[in-house]
């Protein structure tokens, strides 16, 4: 495959009808440049500061590598963690859209066919039906996020490449049973702070992971993907246990809590849990806290609601 390098000038010559979008993208970048420098604490190494820098952005377009120079991003001055500016990414996504500059065609809706009396109605497509499209079909942009993955025997700290659907879309993608972890550091769970080995990239089966801890709640993915399309949800404090780990945190569920629907129905095996604290049952030194975490429901032994805990009676 030939790797073709594009810049904004070439994209403008390629499609003149997108010239207005290109100028707006440049104006947005210039606006970011004119702002005074700001910094905030790095979520990965804690000791570093994220500062605004202009680097080269990489993405894919129709099987070809696209590079955009002078792209605004937040870069840690200690560990090198990168977070691309969300406003600039949204403008670039609009620019790379093949329909940029074209008028939106109106779709003519055919008249609904009338069913004969007694004719069977077609069955609707359920979300967990095999004919439903996967969550991660055609990503436009990618980004790298830090993760802390725990299996039954190892702890893997590294980075994963996700699309706009976030880590939720990566782990629940039914088209791929494995994932790649970049800059992976391995440690055994009985000695979680001792580094065993370090690899540039490792491949692991997603079903073997029990929990994936993230640095930010937003890294799980868009709200519509995380909540499964529901706008109104209820928080339920829970406790999940396996043969190795225990997790306490909060889950979001639409309406009244239904254990069978949450743990058995649908195709999403990795469920988000917020303000989570993971501990190892036999290893008290292993404790992982995360504002957003995914746990594998297929490895869970039990799930209990904190609101149904029996209060101890004093003096009994």
């Amino acid at each position: 495959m030939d790797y073709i390098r594009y810049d904004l000038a070439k994209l403008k010559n390629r499609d003149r009808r997108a010239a207005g979008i290109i100028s707006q993208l440049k104006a947005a970048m210039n606006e970011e440049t004119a702002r005074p420098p700001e910094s905030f604490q790095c979520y990965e190494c804690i000791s570093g500061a994220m500062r605004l820098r202009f680097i080269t952005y990489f993405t894919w377009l129709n099987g070809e590598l696209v590079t955009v120079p002078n792209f605004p991003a937040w870069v840690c001055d200690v560990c090198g963690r990168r977070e691309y500016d969300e406003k600039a990414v949204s403008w670039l996504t609009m620019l790379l859209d093949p329909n940029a500059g074209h008028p939106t065609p109106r779709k003519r809706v055919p008249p609904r066919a009338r069913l004969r009396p007694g004719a069977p109605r077609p069955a609707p497509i359920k979300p967990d039906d095999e004919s439903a499209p996967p969550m991660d079909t055609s990503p436009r942009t990618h980004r790298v996020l830090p993760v802390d993955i725990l299996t039954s025997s190892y702890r893997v700290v590294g980075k994963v490449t996700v699309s706009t659907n976030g880590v939720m879309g990566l782990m629940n993608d039914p088209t791929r049973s494995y994932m790649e972890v970049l800059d992976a550091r391995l440690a055994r769970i009985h000695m979680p702070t001792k580094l065993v080995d370090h690899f540039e990239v490792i491949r692991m089966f997603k079903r073997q992971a029990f929990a994936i801890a993230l640095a930010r709640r937003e890294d799980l993915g868009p709200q519509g993907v995380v909540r499964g399309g529901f706008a109104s949800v209820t928080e339920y404090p829970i406790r999940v246990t396996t043969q190795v780990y225990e997790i306490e945190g909060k889950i979001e569920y639409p309406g009244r809590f239904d254990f069978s629907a949450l743990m058995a129905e649908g195709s999403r095996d990795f469920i988000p849990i917020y303000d989570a604290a993971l501990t190892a049952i036999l290893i008290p030194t292993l404790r992982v806290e995360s504002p957003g975490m995914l746990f594998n429901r297929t490895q869970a032994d039990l799930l209990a609601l904190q609101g149904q805990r029996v209060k101890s009676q004093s003096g009994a």
Side-chain angles (χ1 to χ4, degrees), residues 179-235:
M179 63 178 177
E180 294 183 349
V181 182
L182 310 175
D183 192 21
R185 294 172 170 86
L186 278 63
R188 299 183 180 93
I189 59 171
H190 66 279
M191 299 182 69
T193 58
K194 183 179 180 181
L195 183 65
V196 175
D197 216 332
H198 186 191
F199 296 92
E200 294 181 358
V201 58
I202 64 171
R203 289 89 176 171
M204 59 183 302
F205 288 101
K206 293 188 288 188
R207 66 174 181 270
Q208 300 298 332
F210 169 67
I212 298 94
L214 305 174
R216 302 184 307 170
R217 177 171 177 164
E218 294 79 8
D219 293 342
L220 288 170
Q223 192 177 49
V225 175
V226 176
R227 292 184 175 181
F230 294 95
S232 178
V233 294
T234 304
E235 284 191 351

Side-chain angles (χ1 to χ4, degrees), residues 57-72:
Y57 181 80
F58 297 89
T59 187
W60 292 90
L61 177 65
N62 297 328
E64 298 175 349
L65 182 63
V66 179
T67 63
V68 182
N70 300 324
F71 199 84

Side-chain angles (χ1 to χ4, degrees), residues 280-306:
I281 298 176
L282 301 178
I283 310 167
T285 57
L286 178 55
R287 180 179 176 85
V288 179
E289 296 182 354
S290 172
M293 183 181 296
L294 292 174
F295 74 91
N296 191 346
R297 67 178 185 179
T298 61
Q299 297 188 18
D301 291 339
L302 63 89
L303 185 151
L305 297 178
Q306 300 283 12

Side-chain angles (χ1 to χ4, degrees), residues 251 253 257-265 268 271 297 303:
I251 63 170
Y253 192 78
F257 179 78
D258 189 343
F259 175 80
S260 62
L262 177 67
M263 303 295 290
E265 297 180 3
R268 296 185 176 186
I271 301 175
R297 67 178 185 179
L303 185 151

Side-chain angles (χ1 to χ4, degrees), residues 148-165:
D148 191 349
I149 305 173
L150 295 112
T151 68
S152 59
S153 57
Y154 272 85
R155 179 181 185 181
V156 181
V157 179
K159 303 175 183 179
V160 293
T161 303
V162 301
S163 68
T164 54
N165 289 330

